[in-house]
Amino acid sequence: MSITRTPLPAASAARHAARSGLIQITVTGVLWGTTGVAVQLLREGTGLSPVSIGFHRLAIAALVLLACTAGRLRTIVSTLRAAPVPLLLTGVGLGLYQALYFAAVAWAGVSVATIVSLGLAPVLAAAWESVQARRLPGPLRLGTLVAAVAGLVLITGATGQPGAAAPAPLLGLLAAAGSGLGYAVTTLISRQVSQRTAPMTLTTISTVVGALTLAPFALVAGVGLPVRLDTVALLLHLGVVTTAVAYALFYAGLRTIPGSVAAVLTLLEPLTAAALAVALLREPLPLPVIVGGVLLLTAVAATYLAPDRADSR
């Protein structure tokens, strides 16, 4: 007599949670991908520095989230008191890796900053997770990492503005490496924190702390801007959509998937930015962008097709 085995409810629930986490992080990467066009339009219309735009972005997100969680402020304060170090590190890291990325763009150009900072993060996160697990990444994880980073290099190399302005390439490279390291470390810390902290609470605390971290840099660069409908709309998009909503989804997704997988999925950011540049700014679509997009989407598809092996088991 044969016995038909049905999947255990717990295993089925875990797979469903993993797929939900993958979707949440994927949406995060797409939302982050709209940042570039908004920042470009803001810089052209206001003359604000990238650091100042980053500060406004986090400050608006913090104000919106504080307003949305006004009835739970006591709970948020209690959460912060219960685990101040990891929560503060998450917020400080959020502000610092953005500041370092902006510095890398100014000193070494967009291509170097994006390739080094975004490409380094999933590799560092995967290496740390392998050390913790005391085993090498499986073939699926290695193949996904290689395809994703190769796609990132192709897309960024073809769309990054070449330019004249690379006044301090070595400093820019160091800043980009610092940004990638900060992003990886912050992702790993926030993944641990997200296991015991509600996404909205974690997002509120991290954006408030991140805004305070960027405030000194922004004050030096200048934070004044003209109050116009288009300017307000762009800042609200950056603060509400690409920060408050995107980071809430990011932290929710980190509850069920490893940090290195999240770092790979958020590489959809430059692909989304390139697609928007083609659609909205009428920029050309070079062959390397198409090839890089295919590689990135292949990496994402591989992650979706085998969510139960996302942790290299």
Side-chain angles (χ1 to χ4, degrees):
M1 181 176 68
S2 63
I3 299 175
T4 303
R5 297 190 178 184
T6 58
L8 293 174
S12 177
R15 282 194 294 271
H16 177 74
R19 288 191 182 278
S20 297
L22 292 173
I23 293 170
Q24 288 164 331
I25 301 292
T26 299
V27 174
T28 297
V30 173
L31 292 180
W32 283 350
T34 67
T35 303
V37 172
V39 169
Q40 183 176 339
L41 293 173
L42 265 177
R43 291 190 68 187
E44 292 173 354
T46 66
L48 279 176
S49 70
V51 173
S52 298
I53 294 173
F55 164 73
H56 283 294
R57 173 189 181 188
L58 290 177
I60 290 170
L63 290 173
V64 170
L65 287 166
L66 285 171
C68 291
T69 57
R72 291 182 287 164
L73 286 181
R74 200 170 282 181
T75 302
I76 291 174
V77 172
S78 299
T79 302
L80 184 57
R81 286 177 176 173
V85 174
L87 286 168
L88 290 174
L89 284 176
T90 299
V92 171
L94 174 61
L96 286 182
Y97 74 67
Q98 287 194 48
L100 286 170
Y101 175 77
F102 295 147
V105 170
W107 289 335
V110 175
S111 295
V112 170
T114 304
I115 290 172
V116 174
S117 61
L118 288 183
L120 197 58
V123 175
L124 291 174
W128 176 250
E129 289 167 356
S130 295
V131 169
Q132 282 192 313
R134 296 183 180 179
R135 62 172 180 242
L136 293 173
L140 175 65
R141 175 69 61 83
L142 286 175
T144 300
L145 281 173
V146 170
V149 174
L152 170 69
V153 172
L154 286 170
I155 292 170
T156 307
T159 58
Q161 298 174 355
L170 180 57
L171 282 176
L173 182 61
L174 292 174
S179 177
L181 176 61
Y183 177 38
V185 171
T186 302
T187 298
L188 293 171
I189 293 173
S190 57
R191 183 175 194 272
Q192 296 300 318
V193 177
S194 69
Q195 306 304 306
R196 55 184 183 275
T197 308
M200 281 290 285
T201 300
L202 180 53
T203 310
T204 302
I205 294 172
S206 63
T207 52
V208 170
V209 176
L212 293 174
T213 302
L214 276 184
F217 302 98
L219 288 173
V220 171
V223 294
L225 72 161
V227 181
R228 300 193 308 263
L229 183 60
D230 59 336
T231 301
V232 172
L234 288 169
L235 284 174
L236 285 175
H237 173 76
L238 287 174
V240 177
V241 178
T242 73
T243 306
V245 174
Y247 275 99
L249 288 170
F250 182 66
Y251 294 139
L254 282 177
R255 289 184 154 197
T256 56
I257 66 173
S260 59
V261 173
V264 166
L265 292 177
T266 53
L267 292 182
L268 286 170
E269 176 184 349
L271 177 58
T272 303
L276 286 175
V278 171
L280 301 180
L281 304 179
R282 307 294 183 185
E283 293 186 4
L285 183 62
L287 179 61
V289 174
I290 297 174
V291 176
V294 169
L295 285 172
L296 265 178
L297 292 174
T298 300
V300 171
T303 305
Y304 269 85
L305 290 173
D308 55 327
R309 287 187 287 164
D311 59 355
S312 301
R313 279 195 292 263

